[in-house]
């Protein structure tokens, strides 16, 4: 009977929670980050997979590489355009895409993905940190 | 075979086909499924939930109608059960929290059985409670996890939740436990309705439809996260969802097919929500059997819309007719 004010209050709180993203972002545009390509990558022209494929499925390829390299000992990856690559994150991927912060992290941060690649792998650029 | 589940199943299948093939066919349809329908759905959700709740708010709850499962507070030497039959506001709060967070009523679920020598017995039956608990909590975690697509920058607490959800670190992209739990629990709740004859008997299309939708949502989400050939570009997906919540809708390159199925089904669930049994989300807070104190003996509850009744007492009656009564020889109280 006289609980209307509590029900209205509850509804207001509920919608505030439901519409959290609207007031959290305050209408600020958040486009996806540009993909940064190093000069080496631009010079190479092609990746180990076609562009659309590597964008969507790179994590599966890395997963596959881990298994084929460390379990089956296959150290050659024949790509879609018959080029041969050494299947390795640090050597091949980061060989071209030299800057992890610019190339990997931008999109990963945007999508809030924290891959556990870096639990084991070292970003070659970061190796200098210890020598200082 | 039973029309109650065949029909909603076909509806969900048709929804899948329509949204998949139309969004593949033309960009205009991507705009329809990615922008127009989601906006309409959220508007329907907000307006519909408000309407239903305010409609319930109008209902009269003059008296306490608790369903009790414990001793009410009465005489000082009888021990009351203060959470199952609370006489204080605090007790009600605890009962409501137990009900909303851990589904205490379902925990009491029993199974009736008649033995061969006609002895009846009630047995413990916790599977419904367990299935419901897993289902609801997994759904909540999945929902909260999806805020990563709707916030920029993503709050720290959300990343913590994500790392907890994916702590097993199997597969790449990492397996999220809540998604799997959600699909498994929804499937269990569906199979339960199919295989238990008593439950099947009381199940209607409106019970199956949300289950199929949720199974469809969970399955499409899992497909586009884990299956290589169905995967979408996740940054593009976030660009789309960020466009929606910042009111700058865009359809970026790299989202297709299965993504629009997912969004369409979520939109359908949102729009269907206020008009269905899913309103138990709000209804549970307004259950008089759960949210009222059981002080029916302690306090006098007067019907609040009792209007003042005009009474004519015997004294007044006698005042009106005293002389006539005396004339007729009737006894009077005052001479």
């Amino acid at each position: 009977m006289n609980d209307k004010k509590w029900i209205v209050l509850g509804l207001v709180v509920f919608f505030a929670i439901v519409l959290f993203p609207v007031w959290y972002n305050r209408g600020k545009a958040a486009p996806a980050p540009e993909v940064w390509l190093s000069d080496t990558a631009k010079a190479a022209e092609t990746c180990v997979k076609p562009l659309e494929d590597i964008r969507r499925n790179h994590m599966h390829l890395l997963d596959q590489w881990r298994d084929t390299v460390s379990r089956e000992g296959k150290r050659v990856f024949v790509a879609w355009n018959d080029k041969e690559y050494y299947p390795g994150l640090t050597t091949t991927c980061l060989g071209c895409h030299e800057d992890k912060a610019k190339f990997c992290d931008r999109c990963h941060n945007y999508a809030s993905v924290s891959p556990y690649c870096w639990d084991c792998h070292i970003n070659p650029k970061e190796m200098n940190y210890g020598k200082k | 075979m039973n029309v109650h589940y065949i029909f909603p199943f076909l509806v969900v299948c048709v929804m899948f086909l329509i949204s998949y093939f139309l969004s593949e066919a033309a960009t205009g349809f991507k705009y329809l499924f990615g922008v127009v329908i989601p906006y309409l759905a959220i508007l329907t959700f907000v307006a519909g939930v408000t309407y239903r709740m305010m409609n319930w708010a109008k209902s009269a709850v003059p008296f306490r109608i608790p369903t009790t499962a414990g001793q009410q507070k009465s005489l000082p030497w009888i021990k009351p059960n203060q959470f199952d039959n609370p006489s204080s506001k605090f007790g009600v709060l605890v009962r409501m929290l137990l009900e909303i967070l851990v589904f205490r009523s379902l925990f009491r679920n029993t199974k009736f059985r008649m033995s061969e020598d006609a002895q009846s017995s009630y047995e413990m039956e916790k599977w419904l409670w367990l299935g419901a608990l897993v289902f609801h909590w997994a759904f909540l975690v999945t929902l909260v996890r999806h805020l990563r697509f709707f916030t920029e920058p993503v709050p720290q607490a959300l990343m913590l939740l994500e790392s907890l959800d994916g702590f097993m670190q199997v597969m790449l992209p990492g397996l999220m436990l809540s998604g799997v739990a959600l699909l498994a629990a929804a499937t269990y709740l569906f199979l339960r309705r199919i295989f238990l004859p008593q439950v099947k008997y009381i199940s209607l299309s409106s019970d199956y439809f949300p289950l199929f939708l949720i199974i469809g949502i969970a399955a499409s989400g899992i497909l586009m996260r884990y299956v290589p050939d169905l995967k979408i570009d996740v940054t593009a997906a976030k660009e789309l969802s960020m466009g929606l919540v910042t009111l700058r809708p865009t359809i970026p390159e790299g989202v297709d097919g299965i993504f629009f199925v997912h969004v369409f089904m979520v939109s359908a669930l949102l729009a269907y929500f206020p008009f269905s049994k899913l309103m138990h989300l709000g209804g549970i807070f307004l259950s008089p059997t759960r949210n009222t104190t059981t002080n029916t003996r302690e306090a006098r509850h007067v019907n609040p819309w009792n209007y003042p009744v005009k009474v004519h007492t015997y004294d007044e009656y006698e005042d009106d007719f005293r002389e006539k009564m005396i004339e007729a020889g009737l006894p009077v109280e005052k001479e």
Side-chain angles (χ1 to χ4, degrees):
Chain A
M1 283 308 285
N2 48 13
D3 295 336
K4 208 170 219 163
K5 57 177 186 294
W6 296 113
I7 297 174
V8 171
L9 183 73
L11 264 182
V12 169
V13 170
F14 175 67
F15 287 132
I17 295 171
V18 169
L19 300 176
F20 165 75
V22 176
W23 53 262
Y24 178 83
N25 295 302
R26 284 186 228 95
K28 209 166 75 228
E34 292 281 315
V35 176
W36 175 83
L37 291 178
S38 66
D39 294 336
T40 329
K42 280 179 190 156
E45 282 183 3
T46 53
C47 195
V48 296
K49 285 210 168 203
L51 181 65
E52 271 298 286
D53 195 8
I54 195 74
R55 267 198 191 167
R56 296 173 185 216
N57 297 325
H58 57 274
M59 64 295 278
H60 293 289
L61 184 71
L62 290 170
D63 203 21
Q64 219 177 315
W65 278 4
R66 181 193 58 192
D67 292 354
T68 48
V69 172
S70 61
R71 295 181 193 165
E72 294 161 27
K74 287 184 193 161
R75 304 249 169 202
V76 178
F77 174 74
V78 183
W80 56 296
N81 49 9
D82 291 330
K83 276 192 188 171
E84 290 191 351
Y85 291 95
Y86 176 80
L89 171 66
T90 341
T91 325
T92 305
C93 300
L94 290 175
C96 263
H97 307 290
E98 293 147 347
D99 197 332
K100 169 177 173 280
K102 279 188 190 164
F103 185 73
C104 305
D105 294 348
R106 271 192 194 169
C107 286
H108 285 160
N109 289 344
Y110 181 69
S112 173
V113 178
S114 41
Y116 50 90
C117 311
W118 316 105
D119 291 3
C120 304
H121 287 270
I122 295 172
N123 175 11
K125 287 269 166 77
E126 284 171 5
M127 287 174 76
N128 304 331
Y129 290 173
K131 290 175 190 166
K132 242 189 257 181
Chain B
M1 298 294 258
N2 173 326
V3 69
H4 291 313
Y5 61 84
I6 293 300
F7 180 64
F9 179 70
L10 288 178
V11 169
V12 173
C13 288
V14 168
M15 283 172 62
F16 180 97
L17 294 174
I18 287 179
S19 50
Y20 187 84
F21 286 107
L22 286 186
S23 62
E24 292 280 276
T27 323
F29 284 116
K30 285 189 177 179
Y31 202 80
L32 176 72
F33 289 114
V35 176
V36 178
I37 290 178
Y39 273 138
L40 288 178
I42 193 78
L43 282 179
T44 314
F45 177 79
V46 172
V49 168
T50 308
Y51 170 75
R52 289 295 299 269
M53 292 300 278
M54 292 326 288
N55 201 26
W56 279 332
K58 276 188 229 151
S59 308
V61 186
F63 302 120
R64 306 301 157 111
I65 48 167
T67 48
T68 60
Q71 173 61 48
Q72 184 183 352
K73 188 180 176 193
S74 57
L75 298 166
W77 40 271
I78 299 175
K79 194 174 170 240
N81 187 333
Q82 61 165 325
F83 298 138
D84 281 328
N85 204 338
S87 58
S88 65
K89 288 240 164 96
F90 173 73
V92 168
L93 185 74
V94 173
R95 174 164 71 176
M96 287 297 283
L97 285 178
L98 286 174
E99 185 64 35
I100 290 164
L101 300 179
V102 292
F103 312 157
R104 194 127 191 258
S105 300
L106 279 188
F107 194 71
R108 280 189 239 282
N109 186 30
T110 50
K111 191 168 74 181
F112 174 78
R113 200 167 64 168
M114 191 85 92
S115 68
E116 277 172 25
D117 51 346
Q119 289 286 313
S120 60
S121 65
Y122 290 90
E123 293 163 5
M124 196 162 90
E125 212 284 297
K126 302 291 184 214
W127 293 110
L128 173 62
W129 170 78
L130 191 68
L133 202 67
V134 172
F135 171 77
H136 283 84
W137 279 101
F139 208 157
L140 181 68
V141 172
T142 310
L143 216 66
V144 172
R145 220 163 24 76
H146 274 71
L147 282 176
R148 80 180 167 116
F149 294 112
F150 296 96
T151 51
E152 181 60 36
V154 178
Q156 277 293 322
L158 218 59
M159 297 186 191
L160 182 71
L161 177 75
E162 243 170 56
S163 63
L164 279 177
D165 202 1
F167 86 108
M168 300 208 3
Q169 295 200 339
V170 283
M171 309 203 300
L172 255 180
L175 182 76
M176 291 290 173
L177 294 177
S178 60
V180 180
L182 175 63
L183 184 61
T187 309
Y188 164 72
L189 291 176
F190 163 65
L191 293 178
R192 180 183 157 272
R193 286 191 185 274
I194 296 285
F195 286 116
L196 301 184
Q198 297 93 329
V199 187
K200 187 177 181 181
Y201 185 74
I202 58 165
S203 295
L204 302 171
S205 296
S206 58
D207 297 311
Y208 291 113
F209 180 61
L211 272 175
F212 286 135
L213 258 188
I214 291 164
I215 290 172
I217 289 168
S220 58
I222 284 173
L223 288 181
M224 75 182 158
R225 183 180 167 89
Y226 302 107
V227 179
D229 289 327
L230 295 172
K231 278 186 74 69
I232 54 157
D233 183 353
V234 72
T235 51
K238 179 158 180 178
E239 194 167 10
L240 192 152
S241 55
M242 284 304 292
L244 288 179
V245 294
T246 54
L247 307 178
R248 305 155 189 265
T250 52
I251 302 290
E253 290 285 315
V255 283
D256 41 32
I258 204 92
F259 174 80
F260 291 100
V261 172
H262 192 68
V263 172
F264 183 48
M265 284 189 178
V266 172
S267 304
L269 190 73
L270 275 178
Y272 177 69
F273 200 98
F275 313 103
S276 64
K277 66 177 214 168
L278 301 174
M279 268 308 287
H280 68 267
L281 172 71
I284 192 159
F285 290 94
L286 306 187
S287 320
T289 58
R290 305 277 105 196
N291 68 11
T292 51
T293 49
T294 319
N295 55 1
T296 46
R297 294 185 207 192
E298 276 174 79
R300 178 179 152 85
H301 296 271
V302 179
N303 187 345
W305 64 88
N306 271 355
Y307 50 87
V309 178
K310 196 160 178 284
V311 288
H312 197 231
T313 59
Y314 180 75
D315 286 341
E316 288 162 351
Y317 173 84
E318 205 182 87
D319 286 344
D320 291 347
F321 299 106
R322 184 165 291 111
E323 277 114 60
K324 290 193 175 84
M325 288 168 78
I326 294 170
E327 244 171 67
L330 292 170
V332 288
E333 305 226 323
K334 280 188 245 165
E335 287 295 330

